[in-house]
Amino acid sequence: MAKHRAPEGAATDFDAATSALADVTGKYSVDVAHTRIGVRARHAMVTTVRGSFTEFAGTAYLNAADPAASSVELRIATASVDTGVPDRDAHLRSADFLDVERFPEITFRSTDVEQVDVEVYQVTGDLTIKGVTRPVSIDFTLTGSALDPFGNLRVGFEGALAIKRSEWDLTWNTVLDTGGVLVSDRVQVEFDVSAIKVS
């Protein structure tokens, strides 16, 4: 992924004023340093465990005049899962869950983009986890667009996706003595995306 440096004499304060842009059409690259892909699931039926993937890459083509002509592609390194607890992360990387040795990436490739509100776009595509590919739809909200102090045109999106992990062969679990299971089947994936226009 290309590095974006401030031109000589440019402001370095990201709090400097930026201006919203009317037309954001173009090809974009996800800015990993300012993007978060989070996950959360219920644990032992009583609390929520949160984590994130820290290594990923993504591209998008945005067409403001014809949203259906837009497209998105995302690749996530499964070994980068991080919940803040090393033992738990090691278990998530094992064959019980993500099996990172055999399946090093989670991928998403869009098949359709539809504008459903002024700033909301429904992105439908193929999500592949552990070699299983299934269609999903994610509603993304355009949170802003601006020319940053380094001269980069940026756009921001937020979205969330709820999946049943068992549908992607993520079936490991333990039954609790008090009823229920240790890990919920439902997993929430959260996207806070900043992308930079590259052409």
Side-chain angles (χ1 to χ4, degrees):
M1 186 173 294
K3 294 183 178 179
H4 301 270
R5 295 185 175 87
E8 186 175 349
T12 56
D13 184 359
F14 273 93
D15 292 330
T18 56
S19 57
L21 301 169
D23 186 0
V24 295
T25 298
K27 184 176 180 180
Y28 288 77
S29 180
V30 171
D31 179 5
V32 175
H34 297 95
T35 295
R36 180 179 182 273
I37 300 177
V39 291
R40 56 188 175 96
R42 297 289 288 175
H43 179 262
M45 310 296 291
V46 297
T47 191
T48 298
V49 170
R50 292 174 170 83
S52 63
F53 291 97
T54 59
E55 295 180 20
F56 49 85
T59 58
Y61 173 72
L62 307 181
N63 190 318
D66 181 13
S70 301
S71 61
V72 178
E73 183 171 334
L74 180 65
R75 302 189 316 277
I76 302 169
T78 52
S80 72
V81 65
D82 182 5
T83 66
V85 179
D87 286 347
R88 180 168 58 213
D89 294 343
H91 192 196
L92 290 172
R93 296 181 185 117
S94 76
D96 283 345
F97 287 97
L98 293 169
D99 198 358
V100 302
E101 294 296 327
R102 295 178 59 206
F103 304 101
E105 286 189 337
I106 294 170
T107 63
F108 175 79
R109 293 181 176 85
S110 66
T111 56
D112 183 62
V113 178
E114 178 185 359
Q115 185 171 3
V116 296
D117 205 342
V118 176
E119 295 179 339
V120 180
Y121 300 83
Q122 185 178 75
V123 180
T124 299
D126 294 326
L127 176 65
T128 301
I129 307 173
K130 289 187 74 173
V132 178
T133 301
R134 299 180 66 91
V136 298
S137 293
I138 311 168
D139 285 348
F140 282 100
T141 300
L142 176 64
T143 56
S145 60
L147 189 65
D148 72 20
F150 295 163
N152 300 312
L153 194 163
R154 288 181 177 269
V155 294
F157 289 92
E158 291 180 352
L161 170 66
I163 65 171
K164 289 185 176 181
R165 60 187 179 87
S166 59
E167 294 182 346
W168 280 267
D169 199 27
L170 296 163
T171 56
W172 184 90
N173 227 324
T174 296
V175 177
L176 302 175
D177 291 341
T178 52
V181 292
L182 186 64
V183 184
S184 64
D185 190 28
R186 184 180 185 274
V187 176
Q188 183 93 349
V189 186
E190 300 161 339
F191 303 91
D192 294 290
V193 180
S194 179
I196 297 173
K197 186 175 182 181
V198 294
S199 64

